[in-house]
Each structure stands twice: as C-alpha cells, then as structure tokens.
Amino acid sequence: MTKKPTQTMEQVIGCECVQLENGLTVLVRPMPGYSSIHAIYGTRFGSTDTHFRLNGTEMQLPAGVAHFLEHKMFESEAGDAFLEFAKTGANANAYTSFDKTCYLFTATDQVDESLDILLGMVNQPYFTPQTIQKEQGIIGQEIKMYEDTPDWRMITSLLSCLYHNHPIRQDIAGTVDSIAQITPEMLYDCCKAFYQPGNMVLAVAGNVTMAQVLDACERANLPATQCQVERIPPQEPTQVACPHMEYAMELASPCLGVGFKEAPVEGAKAEVICDMLTELICGGMTDFYRKLYDEGLVNPGFGGEFITLDGCCCFLFTGETEHPKEVRGLLLEEIERLRQQGVDEEIFTLCKNQTYGEVLQELENVEDAATALAGSFFRKRKLEEDLEALASVTKQEVDAALQRMLKPENSSTVIIWPKEEEE
C-alpha cells in the first residue's frame, strides 16, 4: 500500500507571504470555493504606545490617542469611508487594543474596490481642529458608556491595581480629560511614526489570490517612509500597585476579579503554556469550575485570560458571583493544589487537543483565518510556530511554569458590589 505524503504545518495553514519593497507585510490565505473574503489592515500601534522618540524627538501621548486615531481614519476630506464601503456592499469595522489598531472589512463582491478603499483611507489621513473637536464629543460619550459597563470596569480596575506605570493600566479609549489634549499635529505625528508600511500588515483570507492583493497594493502606491521610531519602555516595579480594591456601581450581581502580575515571557512555547494555564485552572472541563458552577458560586461566564505585551504579563480571572470573597479563596486554594500536585493529565491532554483543533478549525473560516494571520505578524512569528509550540508542549512544562507563576503575593483583587438603592 502506498503511503500518502504527510503535509507540513506550512501546507496545512496555506498562507502566502510577501514583503513589499516599502516594508509592508502581505499575508494571504487563498480559499477557493468560498463566497467571501476578509481583509485586515493593521499597525503595531495600540493604547500602550504612549512614550516614544520620533526622529530623535521625545513624545509623550495622553491616554486614548491610538483609539481616537482609529475613529478619525474613516474620515477624509472627500467624505466618510463607511459610505464608500456601503457602495461596494462591504461590511467594514475597526478596533484598537493595547498593542495594535486594525481596520477590516468582509465582502462578497467588488473586492478590488473595497481593498482600494481600505488602503486609501488609512494612508490619506485628514485632521482639522473642527473635526477633532467633534470627535472628542463622540468618544467622550463612548467613554462614559464604558464606565457604566461592569465587565470593562473590572478589567481596567484590575490592570490599574496590578501596574504602577505601565500604560496598560489606562483605559484604551482614554478619559474625557486625556482626549481633550489631542491635536491634529499629534495625530499626524502618530501616523508618521506608526502608520508606515514597515510597521503594518495586510492580511486577507477567502476567495482571493495573492496577485489580486498585490495589485491593490500597487494601485495604492504606498510610500516607503524613513521615520526613526524608538519606543521608550516604562519603569515598572515587580510588586503590584494595589492589592485590594472594592467599590459599588449599578449592577445586578457582585463581580470578582483576581489578577496575577508576572515577569514578561518570551517565545511561542511560553505563551502557549500561559494560555493553557487559565483553562487548566478554571476552564469548563475542570472539576474546579464544575464545583463552583454546580454550587451556584459563579455564573457561566466565570473564567480566566492571559495578557502579554512588551514589558507586561498577567493573568486575570473574572466573573459574577454572590460570594466573591469565598470564590477568591477557593481560586487561590485550587492554584496551590495544582502547584503541589500538578495539573490533571487527562484534562491537560483534552485541553491541548481541543485548542489545537480549534485553531485548525478557525483556518477554515475566512474571518478567523485572516485574524490568525494578522495575529502572527503582531506576535512577530509565523502561525505555524504557534501550532508547533502547542503540539510539543508537555504537562511537565506546564507544571514547571506553575512553580514560578500565580503566587498570592503577586496578586490583586477587585470586587464590585451592587449599588444599594437609596431609600
């Protein structure tokens, strides 16, 4: 019997990569037979990029500039890019995170036209004092809305408790006072610094070819820029800024957050291990999660997440609970039990296989595939490196990480209580 050749990881992912002369990284996953495409045009510029040197001049940005700039990119002297996307039938959007800003669309028809709009709007910024003042009012309302959202308040509160100086402690959207400091000159400087092709990626997946995407880049005539940018890292102590915080707001049930501040980690294997730890501690497959849920101690959304950025690494466990102090104690006990006994081997294998399967399944969805490709650029490594790291990680490596991480002395706790009704 003839043995079929084994596909390499690179063949399974099916990604084509080209770096243009101007520095732009173009990633394409052709998916013939699919009816749509998803395109992401992103830059390594997020809310934590507040302190840097541009061509030797030191700059300190107020909180919220990257998010503000994301909003303004859709507006040009000719009009609103959303209206242009509507003409092609594309569904466009954008988002800003701690370390990146991405502009995206999904389309089934007039793909070339939509690519032209996407590349054109991001590379032709237009800011005036009048349009900035108008946007300050709009985003100010958005900030106030977030302030009334318990989940978001919990995350921002936890990060402000964990960190003294790192800009991750600031809200991605900033504050009403911080965005009031934004000027057209500030936004143009950020475009020069971070919206240059060498700092950006165009990731496209679906019914598209690399040649088609490269043609769009050629039509856009993206200029190569020579700006020198040096990010200035914050000086961050190892200890947490505030070990405990409690306050009240309008909500139905109390919310608990427990965060752990860690030393920054490097490499695909280390990040995979940290991601797995949140699932192995209180993921849906664990006995610990079932105990909390079956006894009515937490709501179904209780869980953990791992965040890693330049100079920053932390674990956050959050959710609604009527007994926040009890759940916090049980969580710390469970982490210590796993530290002493090791993670459950069966749960480890299930978690590893499930995560691996989910990643491969995502590659068959145009939106998830484009997101995965863009994510690999922002992580500064190929997507197959993450999959190979996941495939090779062992229970012993996870147990070893637990000996170093998630210590109570490096934790902060936030409890949000329901505001009592005034009589």
Side-chain angles (χ1 to χ4, degrees):
M1 189 170 85
T2 304
K3 195 172 184 180
K4 292 183 179 180
T6 303
Q7 283 187 308
T8 65
M9 189 62 67
E10 191 171 354
Q11 290 171 324
V12 170
I13 294 170
C15 170
E16 300 175 17
C17 176
V18 172
Q19 186 168 39
L20 304 183
E21 289 184 7
N22 60 20
L24 178 67
T25 298
V26 181
L27 302 172
V28 176
R29 185 170 197 269
M31 301 168 70
Y34 281 70
S35 61
S36 65
I37 77 141
H38 189 70
I40 300 174
Y41 194 25
T43 176
R44 290 191 182 108
F45 179 48
S47 66
T48 59
D49 294 305
T50 57
H51 195 192
F52 58 93
R53 291 187 184 91
L54 174 59
N55 295 329
T57 300
E58 186 169 338
M59 302 191 67
Q60 180 76 58
L61 302 179
V65 171
H67 173 260
F68 195 97
L69 186 52
E70 171 221 311
H71 277 237
K72 293 305 298 171
M73 277 298 185
F74 282 91
E75 186 176 317
S76 70
E77 196 168 7
D80 190 332
F82 278 117
L83 297 178
E84 296 302 310
F85 278 118
K87 293 175 183 177
T88 67
N91 182 18
N93 209 335
Y95 68 88
T96 303
S97 68
F98 294 120
D99 60 350
K100 57 184 169 290
T101 306
C102 292
Y103 304 86
L104 48 98
F105 73 83
T106 303
T108 55
D109 297 305
Q110 301 187 66
V111 170
D112 294 340
E113 292 84 351
S114 294
L115 283 170
D116 291 344
I117 297 168
L118 180 68
L119 295 173
M121 76 174 206
V122 175
N123 290 285
Q124 297 172 8
Y126 171 72
F127 316 118
T128 67
Q130 293 75 25
T131 58
I132 286 178
Q133 185 178 16
K134 178 182 176 183
E135 199 67 40
Q136 285 165 337
I138 295 171
I139 295 181
Q141 292 300 315
E142 182 180 331
I143 291 171
K144 291 175 182 177
M145 180 186 71
Y146 280 128
E147 289 175 349
D148 293 330
T149 305
D151 291 347
W152 187 247
R153 281 286 300 277
M154 173 58 75
I155 298 298
T156 55
S157 295
L158 263 181
L159 293 173
S160 69
C161 283
L162 291 174
Y163 291 91
H164 295 256
N165 304 315
H166 196 288
I168 195 175
R169 71 190 310 277
Q170 300 170 331
D171 194 304
I172 289 173
T175 66
V176 172
D177 289 338
S178 71
I179 65 170
Q181 303 171 42
I182 295 174
T183 65
E185 294 74 23
M186 189 183 296
L187 296 184
Y188 281 120
D189 281 339
C190 289
C191 288
K192 291 176 187 176
F194 300 107
Y195 280 74
Q196 49 183 310
N199 194 52
M200 301 185 73
V201 64
L202 176 60
V204 189
N207 189 15
V208 69
T209 64
M210 173 63 83
Q212 189 176 0
V213 177
L214 292 179
D215 285 345
C217 293
E218 187 173 351
R219 290 193 301 273
N221 192 26
L222 308 174
T225 52
Q226 302 300 322
C227 291
Q228 299 298 314
V229 181
E230 178 191 359
R231 289 175 169 86
I232 302 174
Q235 297 299 311
E236 180 62 43
T238 56
Q239 69 272 22
V240 301
C242 174
H244 193 89
M245 176 189 290
E246 295 187 26
Y247 58 91
M249 61 181 296
E250 298 287 349
L251 70 168
S253 301
C255 291
L256 168 69
V258 182
F260 295 85
K261 183 179 184 180
E262 309 292 345
V265 299
E266 294 184 4
K269 177 71 74 72
E271 291 181 22
V272 163
I273 289 171
C274 290
D275 270 331
M276 290 187 70
L277 276 174
T278 60
E279 285 298 311
L280 293 169
I281 292 169
C282 66
M285 292 184 289
T286 63
D287 291 337
F288 177 65
Y289 174 84
R290 288 195 292 271
K291 168 185 167 64
L292 293 178
Y293 182 69
D294 290 344
E295 294 182 6
L297 292 173
V298 298
N299 75 340
F302 186 85
E305 64 177 304
F306 164 67
I307 299 174
T308 179
L309 303 167
D310 288 343
C312 165
C313 172
C314 60
F315 295 86
L316 309 180
F317 297 89
T318 62
E320 292 182 11
T321 169
E322 295 292 338
H323 309 279
K325 295 180 181 179
E326 179 182 355
V327 170
R328 175 190 178 276
L330 292 172
L331 175 65
L332 295 179
E333 288 175 9
E334 177 64 9
I335 293 172
E336 184 57 33
R337 185 189 72 80
L338 293 174
R339 197 175 353 260
Q340 298 297 324
Q341 300 178 13
V343 299
D344 182 275
E345 189 156 6
E346 182 180 1
I347 298 297
F348 167 79
T349 302
L350 287 171
C351 178
K352 178 177 173 178
N353 292 343
Q354 177 178 294
T355 304
Y356 195 86
E358 287 173 349
V359 174
L360 293 180
Q361 187 176 21
E362 286 172 356
L363 291 173
E364 299 307 315
N365 176 285
V366 294
E367 293 186 21
D368 291 337
T371 301
L373 296 182
S376 68
F377 169 84
F378 293 119
R379 290 190 296 275
K380 302 180 182 179
R381 57 178 179 259
K382 295 180 179 180
L383 183 55
E384 50 262 36
E385 293 179 55
D386 288 329
L387 282 168
E388 288 165 356
L390 177 58
S392 66
V393 71
T394 65
K395 174 185 178 302
Q396 290 71 29
E397 289 173 315
V398 174
D399 287 337
L402 261 178
Q403 299 304 313
R404 306 186 302 270
M405 296 178 156
L406 298 158
K407 300 292 183 69
E409 58 268 28
N410 298 327
S411 71
S412 294
T413 300
V414 175
I415 300 175
I416 308 178
W417 299 100
K419 185 175 290 186
E420 294 182 4
E421 295 184 6
E422 297 181 2
E423 298 182 0

